[in-house]
Amino acid sequence: MAGIGHNRGPGSGSGFRAHCWSVARRELLGARLPVEVVRLQLRRAKELGLDYRTYAGVRATTGRDLVAFLYSTNALGAFRSDRPVGPAKRQRICESAAAAHLGYGPGLAPQPVAKQIGAVSALALPQFGASWSAMRERMKDWLRAQGLPGDAVLMIGETDHEREIMMAGGLAAFVTGQKFFAGAADAI
């Protein structure tokens, strides 16, 4: 429980809290953000390797900065453990200021892929068909083990199931691998 004067944004339990947060933010900053804040957000978006619209949207929604990215093996195009992640994608991950974490699917050995992208951790993503509560528990356990707040982690994936995992786990947002790695052309 946060103490008096905390600035951690809206709680996850109430839509009314989120409404109060947005009203208070608007009263403090006005309808438009100051130029200095926009410049800081532009610089941070660039450091993370995100476009400004995505970063500012996550920031406005969660009230928190992004500190980690959870890359799914689908987003990386790593459908087999023995197939390397393309060099352009590895470079893009390396250049991001966010800590890289790997979410892998069934049948994949995570160590080779995690090593290629410099992942801090590897998480076996909940399998397709898992209940919402099972997905939530798996994700919350992983977040606790990593010491990460869910709303500071961006999931980069490809499938609707991965989007559901992101929502069940309370992660900040979901970006497709195609969007994140746009322009990072790898030879197949």
Side-chain angles (χ1 to χ4, degrees), residues 8 16 28 30 44 54 57 59 67 75 79 82 116 128 140 174 179 185:
R8 295 192 183 133
F16 182 70
L28 177 66
R44 182 64 177 158
T54 300
R59 190 66 203 248
V67 296
F79 305 112
D82 62 343
Q116 290 179 51
F128 184 74
K140 295 294 184 180
F174 182 90
K179 180 178 178 181

Side-chain angles (χ1 to χ4, degrees), residues 132-148:
W132 187 269
S133 60
M135 289 190 289
R136 182 184 63 237
E137 280 306 306
R138 169 83 56 90
M139 296 305 291
K140 295 294 184 180
D141 288 346
W142 173 75
L143 288 167
R144 275 190 294 276
Q146 298 306 312
L148 292 169

Side-chain angles (χ1 to χ4, degrees), residues 132 135-136 139-140 163-171:
W132 187 269
M135 289 190 289
R136 182 184 63 237
M139 296 305 291
K140 295 294 184 180
R163 188 179 299 271
E164 286 180 353
I165 292 169
M166 176 276 305
M167 289 188 291
L171 303 184

Side-chain angles (χ1 to χ4, degrees), residues 70-131:
L70 177 62
Y71 298 93
S72 78
T73 49
N74 287 326
L76 296 171
F79 305 112
R80 294 187 346 218
S81 300
D82 62 343
R83 182 166 182 228
V85 175
K89 288 180 180 177
R90 288 194 317 262
Q91 181 67 30
R92 183 101 158 80
I93 293 167
C94 180
E95 291 172 352
S96 176
H101 297 267
L102 176 67
Y104 62 95
L108 287 173
Q111 295 83 5
V113 179
K115 185 176 180 181
Q116 290 179 51
I117 68 168
V120 175
S121 73
L123 164 71
L125 293 175
Q127 292 189 12
F128 184 74
S131 69

Side-chain angles (χ1 to χ4, degrees), residues 7-79:
N7 193 16
R8 295 192 183 133
S12 59
S14 168
F16 182 70
R17 284 186 182 161
H19 168 74
C20 290
W21 175 262
S22 62
V23 169
R25 180 182 173 279
R26 193 172 30 248
E27 287 175 358
L28 177 66
L29 298 175
R32 294 178 183 231
L33 290 175
V35 173
E36 297 81 21
V37 172
V38 173
R39 285 184 184 140
L40 287 171
Q41 288 184 352
L42 276 167
R43 185 171 38 242
R44 182 64 177 158
K46 186 176 180 180
E47 290 170 358
L48 293 170
L50 297 172
D51 62 277
Y52 176 73
R53 177 178 229 143
T54 300
Y55 176 73
V58 170
R59 190 66 203 248
T61 303
T62 65
R64 209 184 261 278
D65 192 25
L66 294 170
V67 296
F69 290 170
L70 177 62
Y71 298 93
S72 78
T73 49
N74 287 326
L76 296 171
F79 305 112

